[in-house]
Amino acid sequence: MSFLFRERQKEPKSLGGRLVKESYKKKGERASQIDGYDKIAEDDNNVAYKNKDGKYKIAIAGSNNMNDALTDAKLFFGANIADTDRYKQSHDFIKKVVGEDRANVELFGHSLSGMIVNELQKQNPEFETTAYNPYIVSSSQLSDKTKNKRTYSDVASLIGSGHSSMENQTEGSGFDVIASHSINNFKKGGKVVKRKYQSN
């Protein structure tokens, strides 16, 4: 017999959360180095870092302007993320940066780009991916292999809150919808509730 219980644990300081925070900055204003990773490429929505061991960490900004808001609206009404310009931009950026070196790539996204990294992982199983408060309209948009993380009170990721890949973070939750959705909630790490199955 198996039963479900919840385990609270403290997540470590999040490099991914800090990288995504950098991706929201303007091109040319992002950090040139973070934790031993050097910035090697960037555009308006994507920034790529690489370390001396050849590991890539690529962060994608979430909704950042009116065009992104229109993309969010299209997705809400059933558009496929892979058909959007934002997805194609990130796909092309990553392909240009890493070429065929797909086994050494880790992607990070937030909100709209959380949906993007989930789709990129489905199309490229070699990629490691983490999404923070991914904006989704169906749990089928989530990849089982993506580390999806959300704050308990985040509305954008609510539909995916019960998905097997989702971790629900207590810190950062509250009645302020905008604050609970922010990438800032994931930069420091926080208490996470994970689903655990135990057999008797």
Side-chain angles (χ1 to χ4, degrees), residues 19 22 25 28-42 47-51:
L19 289 172
E22 289 298 314
K25 296 179 181 178
E29 296 179 1
R30 297 163 179 145
S32 59
Q33 186 182 68
I34 297 181
D35 291 5
Y37 285 82
D38 296 314
K39 183 173 67 176
I40 59 169
E42 64 180 329
V47 58
Y49 291 83
K50 187 178 181 182
N51 71 3

Side-chain angles (χ1 to χ4, degrees), residues 81-82 84-91 116 119-120 123:
I81 185 66
T84 65
D85 289 341
R86 267 297 235 114
Y87 175 87
K88 293 172 184 175
Q89 288 166 5
S90 292
H91 174 274
I116 290 172
E119 183 63 26
L120 284 166
Q123 302 301 326

Side-chain angles (χ1 to χ4, degrees), residues 1-3 198-200:
M1 178 179 179
S2 297
F3 64 93
Q198 181 168 312
S199 298
N200 286 344

Side-chain angles (χ1 to χ4, degrees), residues 106 128-132 143 145-149 165 167:
E106 188 169 8
E128 287 186 51
T129 48
T130 302
Y132 304 99
S143 164
K145 294 183 179 180
T146 295
K147 298 172 191 171
N148 287 292
K149 300 172 182 276
S165 69
E167 295 178 357

Side-chain angles (χ1 to χ4, degrees), residues 1-2 45 60 156 184 192:
M1 178 179 179
S2 297
N45 297 307
I60 307 169
N184 291 332
V192 171

